[in-house]
Amino acid sequence: FRLCRELGPELVLSVYDLKGAAFARDIGACALKIPSSNITHEPLIKGMGGFGLPLILDTGKSTHEEISRAIQWAYDGGICQLVIEHSPEAPPSPVSNHNLNMMNALREAYDCPVGLSDHHSGDEMMYAAVALGACVIEKGVYADDQGHDQDVYHSMKVSDVKTIWSKCMNIYDALGSK
């Protein structure tokens, strides 16, 4: 949490229940995230509106029907700001399966801002997503001295966060306005 506050990225937490959402709000999260595993959890999604924070909805392998239903639940629950997050296949996923144009399809279909849950082993998917208009980028982070672990493959070293964050912001700034 300290690193986010020092470098600039805002803190977003995935929540699995209302107690977790309250914790996230209380420690200063700028938004709440519904992980793809909970996109069919109606009481949780409807309950997010009571926290007064934007909601990020991770689509995972959901169908358009499931996404549409979850979006409606969010609005029914009082969410005012919603971001739909594209989530490519779980790692290790080849670049050809990332389908970043899905962000454009989600933006057009649901008239919402979009983001990316990056499962790639490198940093180029984050840069491409920013160039495509993502307003949220999710990427795992691990300690520089962490050994081999299944989550390290698609994460970035904590020491790389500042550089990657700076590059993403430069790309964002370079987009300008329409």
Side-chain angles (χ1 to χ4, degrees), residues 23-77:
F23 171 77
R25 179 202 56 212
D26 293 347
I27 65 166
C30 70
L32 303 172
K33 179 190 168 205
I34 298 293
S36 60
S37 60
N38 280 336
I39 198 166
T40 58
H41 193 322
E42 180 179 2
L44 178 62
I45 295 171
K46 282 186 173 179
M48 294 298 99
F51 294 96
L53 294 172
L55 183 65
I56 299 169
L57 186 64
D58 189 334
T59 58
K61 295 182 191 279
S62 304
T63 66
H64 281 284
E65 180 181 336
E66 289 168 331
I67 296 168
S68 295
R69 188 174 55 225
I71 290 170
Q72 189 59 55
W73 292 337
Y75 289 140
D76 289 349

Side-chain angles (χ1 to χ4, degrees), residues 86-103 115-122 124-126 128-129 132 139 153-154:
H86 170 55
S87 186
E89 288 183 13
S93 178
V95 171
S96 60
N97 290 358
H98 277 69
N99 194 17
L100 295 182
N101 277 321
M102 184 62 174
M103 292 188 313
L116 174 69
S117 179
D118 183 12
H119 297 162
H120 182 55
S121 60
E124 58 265 42
M125 294 307 126
M126 290 184 284
L132 288 170
K139 181 79 167 176
Y153 172 80
H154 65 285

